[in-house]
Every structure is written in C-alpha cells, then in structure tokens.
Amino acid sequence: MRPSPITLRRAARQIFFSSSTLRAAAPAPIAGRSLSTTTGSDCTCGNGSGRPRQIQHSQKLQQQQKQQQRSSYHSYDHPSSPASFTPVEESILSAAYLHVPAHGFTSSALAAGARDAGYLDISPTILPEGAFTLIRYHLVKQREGLAARARELFGGEGHVGAYKPGGLSEREIKGRVEALMWERLMGNREVIGRWQEALAIMAQPSYVPPALKELALLSDEILFLAGDSSVDPSWYTKRASLSTIYAAAELFMTNDHSPEFMDTRAFLNRRLREVNEVGGVFRNLREWVGFTATAGVNVLRSKGVRI
Amino acid sequence: MVARPALRRIAIPSLRTSTTHLESRISRSSFSTTLQSRNNQSSKPNHSVPEYAIPDPARPTHFGFETVTEAEKRERVAGVFTSVAESYDRMNDLMSFGWHRVWKDHFVSSLNPGFMPLAAPGSSPLAPQHILDIAGGTGDIAFRMLHTAHVLNGNPDVRVTISDINPAMLTVGKQRSGSLPASQQAALSFLEANAEDLTQTKPLGANQVGYSPANGVPDESVDLYTVAFGIRNFSNIPAALREAYRVLKPGGVFACLEFSKADKYPLFNSIYKQWSFSGIPLIGQLVAGDRDSYQYLVESIEKFPSQEDFRDMIVDAGFVVGGKGYEDLTGGVAAIHKGMKPRRK
C-alpha cells in the first residue's frame, strides 16, 4: 500500500524534529564526564505522532534532574553551581579575610570583618559554620582563582580545558598539573602562618566532610584546567593521588622556612615523580597478572578443561 | 479543656498525614473563613507589609489542632502558660529528659553574646550590646546569655531584657533571677509585652532600667533578638517577625530556637511522635496536674511549619540568612533559625 502524502509529510517532519531535539539534548559532552544517558538514541522515527512529545518530555525531566543534582566534578552537562556565598556573607567574609594574617581563622577575624563591613559584632553568628566558614571562603576563592591563573600561564581564551583537538600529551599535562599545584600552594602564602590552625579546625569531625569535598574539587579543578580528559579508571586514581600529594605538600609548606618555599617546591616535584613511578609499577603489575592469568587458562585448556 | 475532643477526632491519622489534609478537614468542619482569607493573602503583593502580617483579632489561626481566631488563641495561650508557669521548668526536664538544657546551651554559645574582640586602644568605646529575649518568661535563655557575656567573655557591657506576654511566667523568672550575682541582676530587666506589637510595653516591678511604657521598644535598638520555644505560640508569626525586624539594629541578629520536624529520620520520628503524643500529656497530668495544657504544647509543635518553611517566613520578613538558614538539633526535633537584618542601602 502506498502511504498517503500526509503521512509522508508527517514522517518527514518527525525525523527533522526529533533529530534537532536530539542534537540539542547532547551539548558536546566531554566523553565519560557525563554520567547521564543521552536521550532516545533508540528512536526509530516516523511512527505515531506522540513520539517527539515524549522525547521532549523526557528531556525536560532530565534537565530538571540535572538541575537538582549538583555535580561534584567539572561538567558541561550540569549547570554551574550557584554562587558559593550570598552577597551578605561575601561582604563579611571578604572583609574578615583581610584580618586573617593578624587574627587567624577565628571569630575575632570575623567580628573585625563584620565591623569593617558596617555590621555589628554579633552579625557573623549567622554564618552557619563559624570560623570554618572563613576557611572555606579561602579554599573556595583560591580554587576559583585558579582558572584565571591557568589562562595566564597557558594562554587559551576563556574556555580552558582540552586545548588541542587531539588532547595534550601526557608530558604536557604533567607539566601543567605541577604548575597549577604550585600556583595553588602559593595561594596560601599570605596565610601560611595561620594555616596550621586552619588545618586543625578542618580536622574537627564535623568539618572533615566539607574539607575533603573542597580537596576533591580542587584536584578535579587542577586536572580539568591542565587539560586532562581521561575517561578510564585513572580518572579516579589521578584525582586521589593528586589530593594526597596536595595535602602533603600543604602540610610541608606550613613548616617551610626556605626562601621562596624552595623546599616545598622540591618536595612537590619528588612526590609527583613518585606517583609516576608507582603508576609504572602498577601498570607492570597489571600486565604481569593479565599475562599469568591468560597463561594459566591456556595451560588448563591444554589439559582438556573446557574453558 | 477544649483541645481534647479535637484531638480525639484526628489524633491517630495525624501522626502520618500531611498538615494540608488536616487543615482542609479543620477548615471544612468549623470555620469557612479560613480558605477565604488564605486566598486574600496570596493575591496580595509582598513588598509592603502584607495583609497576613498585620495582626487581626478575627483572623483564624491554629491552637493545637483546633482552628481559633487570633484573639482567642492569645487568650488561650495565656491560659496555658499561666497554669503551667510554676511547673514549667521541672516539666521541661521531664519531657525532654533534660536535653532542653543542651539545646539552650548550644543556642547561647552559638550566638556568643558579649563577644567583642579588638577593643583597639584609642578606638571609640564599644556600644553596649542589647539583647531582647522574647517569650523569655522563666529566664532560661537570658541567664545563660548573661553568664556567657559577663563571665566567659568578660564583657559587663551587655544588657538583657526579658519580655513575655504572660506576667505569671515573668514572675517566675523574676524570682529565679534572685539567685544571680548582683552585677548580672543589674543588667537584667523584665518587660511585659506582646511580641507582635512591641510599641506597647509594661515594665515589671519598680526600679527598672528598661523601656518606658510610653515608647515601647524603639526602632533599631536591639543587637540580638532571641526567642526560644516561644514563637509557635504566637497568634501571628509574620507580624512578630516584622516587629523583630523593626527593633533590631542593622546587622542585628534574629535567633530562634524552636521545636521542628524530624521527618528526615522516619524511625526516630515515629518514636518521638509516639512519646510526645502519649507520654508528654501523661507526665503533664501526673506531675503538673494539667493534661490539656501539655496536650496543647505537643499539638502546637505538630502544627509549627517545617524548617524550610519557617526559614522562608524569616526571609519574607526582610532578614538575610547564612547558608541554608537553620541548624537541626537532635535530628530536627528542635532547630535554630538565624537571620540578620541587612544594612541600610
């Protein structure tokens, strides 16, 4: 039976419509970064007029879901998280931050900041985490400032991340990671005399989770800015090792009295080199296990076991 | 008293059902004006004082699970607290297993009154801090404030005014304050006032350092406004929040400790609800000889808005909040809400 022109037209519209919505649904996902599945990839178009509406609906749902889940890593698929601090918090904290070298990360600094910002001594008590809020302010601001530093260091306009179409070489990425980590450590320079106190506060049980989250966000930021786009399990191991190294280097820095923190820099380089070596060991180990396992299976097969 | 038949009608489903369901039942059965006035308030724009924030003696509100008018609620609450005033503190210990002390201590230490560092030499002398403790009746919060400020922070320049609508509760507080050190007694004053309208005040007793009855609490005169386990008894909470906004200095802090919702932990919540609906009225009957008043107390806890809703009411009154705006205590059985009056533009 010949299909009538109307059905044909409808089918054509359908194809056009759904392909355009599909294109809109997948905004250049960095491979593997997005955990959400893409919409309607199994869409066989042209049957029934309800289909595009369904797709649109599921898209809307998905967008809502995306808005609900705040991503804890860099993602093009998730809306950027809302500002970390409200304007009032920002005004108190930014004024208090100037008092940190003198008063440390304490409620004294907060009270002084509140007074500078035109508030009362009692005003900082609305900050939910007290002095820790000031520490978090430091962490967040330094992390957010890294993007601008990365642009200065490596060039690139506005959009930082994977610069070359084919990605960067392993060696280039490592160099950038090291440079960015050093930049971040230098961000502590002003407050380094107070940083041991801050670490002590961060180690208090109720503040450990937010502090660790900030550390995770930092290592993610560094790897993202360095242009790392790995999607294999090394996504996790890289972030984990980077977090460990950063925490260690920061601790080292609090006791470093060498000019321009030379010792810290050397320490950082040693740790990063070690990671490469350990990574090599792991690769070799994996190869060996794989080889042995295959050989074992082959031996068993040769004995007539049906595997 | 009147609370009981209402409870018997709806007590069992109320443990689980949402409040909207309850509200609809109540409004249908007794007062047809509820829905109408709610429509009015939603159509009203928000920027000036909204209609719902103007006290109106005839407007329906909750009294436990009952719907009464604002004026009636005021009277009945007065009745409840007059009858429990004597046994109030003992009952608090029994009902919360003494845990209310921990909450109150945490509340006061998180506010840290009297903390004024950096009295830099040569700088202008610090303005005295003024704390207004609303619904502070028996003085639990006020005495802790004075202790923190005078002893821990070594700052005698902190005044506390206890305000309560109920003279019976104030009298208990006044008696208890007799055991405080003289310096702290001197910094304390008592005030009989309705929190929805602090322009009308009546100092309790002679030689008061507080407010004159004519002017009430002036605009922008208070550093810290606290209300602990009181705000759910107010007839018109939005009006009280706006009054708090009026009397606070810019940068002043509104802090509220109140029972809240423990919905996040269903198992714990069911045990807690079981205890509060069957245990507390029973203890009230045995110890204070007054079941109905304690029945009202647990019902009013049930009717109080959730953490997020109350936070939104605070923001609606013009305050700014930090972070999510509240802190849960003991899984949400109680919660601390804080808001700050922003600086003038």
Side-chain angles (χ1 to χ4, degrees), chain A residues 86 88-89 91-92 99 103 107-109 111-113 115-128, chain B residues 110-113 115-118 126 129 223-224 249-253 320-323 338-343:
Chain A
T86 62
V88 171
E89 288 177 319
S91 67
I92 294 180
H99 290 276
H103 299 287
S107 28
S108 300
R115 213 179 280 178
D116 289 352
Y119 294 102
L120 304 172
D121 285 332
I122 195 95
S123 304
T125 54
I126 62 155
L127 299 172
Chain B
S110 80
L111 290 166
N112 206 2
F115 180 70
M116 293 176 161
L118 324 163
L126 294 165
Q129 214 170 42
D223 288 87
L224 173 62
K249 296 174 190 170
V253 170
V320 291
V321 297
K338 284 180 196 157
M340 186 184 76
K341 181 174 177 172
R343 216 171 23 168

Side-chain angles (χ1 to χ4, degrees), chain A residues 19-33:
Chain A
S19 63
S20 66
T21 47
L22 271 181
R23 221 179 300 135
I30 277 234
R33 283 267 167 89

Side-chain angles (χ1 to χ4, degrees), chain B residues 17 75 79 115 139 144 171 205 211 221 234 249 253 284 309 327 333:
Chain B
T17 45
E75 269 170 42
F115 180 70
R144 283 178 169 82
T171 313
Y211 302 106
S221 61
F234 292 3
K249 296 174 190 170
V253 170
D309 291 345
E327 180 189 359
V333 171

Side-chain angles (χ1 to χ4, degrees), chain B residues 22-182:
Chain B
L22 275 177
E23 272 167 4
S24 67
R25 266 183 84 161
I26 290 170
S27 62
R28 232 185 299 133
S29 62
S30 48
F31 281 86
S32 58
T33 46
T34 314
L35 284 172
Q36 224 178 347
S37 72
R38 198 169 292 148
N39 289 343
N40 286 347
Q41 77 188 33
S42 61
S43 65
K44 199 92 175 175
N46 231 354
H47 31 264
S48 62
V49 179
E51 187 256 349
Y52 55 83
I54 302 168
D56 172 8
R59 189 185 297 115
T61 182
H62 307 299
F63 179 81
F65 289 156
E66 283 182 273
T67 302
V68 298
T69 63
E70 286 188 6
E72 207 179 339
K73 174 164 181 174
R74 196 163 301 138
E75 269 170 42
R76 289 230 213 146
V77 168
V80 166
F81 281 94
T82 309
S83 76
V84 303
E86 293 293 321
S87 57
Y88 187 73
D89 290 315
R90 191 161 19 114
M91 278 299 298
N92 275 346
D93 278 336
L94 287 172
M95 289 188 306
S96 69
F97 307 106
W99 204 248
H100 72 108
R101 292 163 189 268
V102 177
W103 289 336
K104 287 170 179 168
D105 283 345
H106 176 74
F107 180 62
V108 171
S109 69
S110 80
L111 290 166
N112 206 2
F115 180 70
M116 293 176 161
L118 324 163
S123 73
S124 63
L126 294 165
Q129 214 170 42
H130 184 205
I131 299 167
L132 180 61
D133 183 26
I134 294 290
T138 58
D140 259 5
I141 297 296
F143 300 164
R144 283 178 169 82
M145 292 280 181
L146 281 175
H147 178 78
T148 309
H150 288 205
V151 181
L152 300 183
N153 285 326
N155 182 354
D157 222 2
V158 174
R159 277 191 302 138
V160 180
T161 302
I162 300 180
S163 164
D164 204 303
I165 195 169
N166 196 313
M169 295 287 278
L170 276 179
T171 313
V172 175
K174 182 89 178 155
Q175 279 163 7
R176 285 183 61 198
S177 74
S179 58
L180 292 177

Side-chain angles (χ1 to χ4, degrees), chain B residues 211-222:
Chain B
Y211 302 106
S212 67
N215 300 332
V217 184
D219 294 0
E220 304 193 349
S221 61
V222 176

